[in-house]
Amino acid sequence: TIQRLARAREEVAVVDDQSGSPTWARMIAEATAVVLAELRAPARREVLSGAQRCRIYHMTCAGETSWYGFATEIIGRMRREQEGGRLATLRPIPTAQYATKAVRPRYSVLSNIRIERELGVVLPRWEDALDLCFGVEIACRSDGV
């Protein structure tokens, strides 16, 4: 959405008082595949109790930022990779100025300590995942896919 808006508008207002851990769906899919492989391994099954196999684990990229911080990073990468064209200026705003029906928490960073300690799964920092995401997008565009 930010990429589309950055190309289409002069200015984009983005909430700056809500923090979270941006997580690319691909990172969750890859980490889930690792968890499932671990749980299927006979040696691992013996180590994990039934309770550990049935509990809820948080799975987000490491680090945190605001929506404005995330948008700033996206547009920064767009600027570095684009050869021309104008991109929108970002303007930070408080949640109260953003019209939406959805109520969002100001702080939605989750702890990944349990999945790291118990299953050894560590997701990358959100900035590194964003770099990967941009790399995939560029590769797809250059291949015509």
Side-chain angles (χ1 to χ4, degrees):
T1 300
I2 290 295
Q3 287 179 304
R4 180 179 48 78
L5 294 174
R7 290 183 186 105
R9 296 185 181 172
E10 292 287 320
E11 182 181 79
V12 177
V14 184
V15 172
D16 195 30
D17 60 357
Q18 293 178 16
S19 294
S21 300
T23 304
W24 187 21
R26 179 175 175 167
M27 299 295 96
I28 294 172
E30 289 179 6
T32 299
V34 169
V35 169
L36 292 174
E38 285 290 315
L39 292 176
R40 296 183 92 184
R44 192 64 160 160
R45 255 188 259 140
E46 292 172 13
V47 173
L48 292 174
S49 70
Q52 285 173 308
R53 283 189 294 240
C54 296
R55 66 174 45 146
I56 294 171
Y57 294 91
H58 296 299
M59 190 181 290
T60 63
C61 283
E64 65 183 74
T65 190
S66 68
W67 286 106
Y68 176 78
F70 188 44
T72 298
E73 289 293 323
I74 291 169
I75 290 180
R77 282 164 176 77
M78 291 173 72
R79 281 194 168 87
R80 285 192 295 274
E81 294 171 6
Q82 99 175 13
E83 294 177 18
R86 184 172 160 88
L87 296 174
T89 301
L90 292 177
R91 180 172 48 91
I93 62 168
T95 300
Q97 290 181 11
Y98 186 74
T100 181
K101 291 181 182 179
V103 178
R104 306 214 189 277
R106 292 207 186 272
Y107 191 78
S108 61
V109 176
L110 302 175
S111 171
N112 293 322
I113 290 174
R114 181 183 283 173
I115 199 165
E116 291 173 9
R117 285 185 185 161
E118 294 181 12
L119 301 177
V121 175
V122 179
L123 275 75
R125 291 194 53 79
W126 68 267
E127 298 96 331
D128 296 332
L130 185 60
D131 285 338
L132 289 170
C133 183
F134 265 78
V136 167
E137 181 181 331
I138 290 167
C140 289
R141 280 189 303 204
S142 65
D143 291 339
V145 177

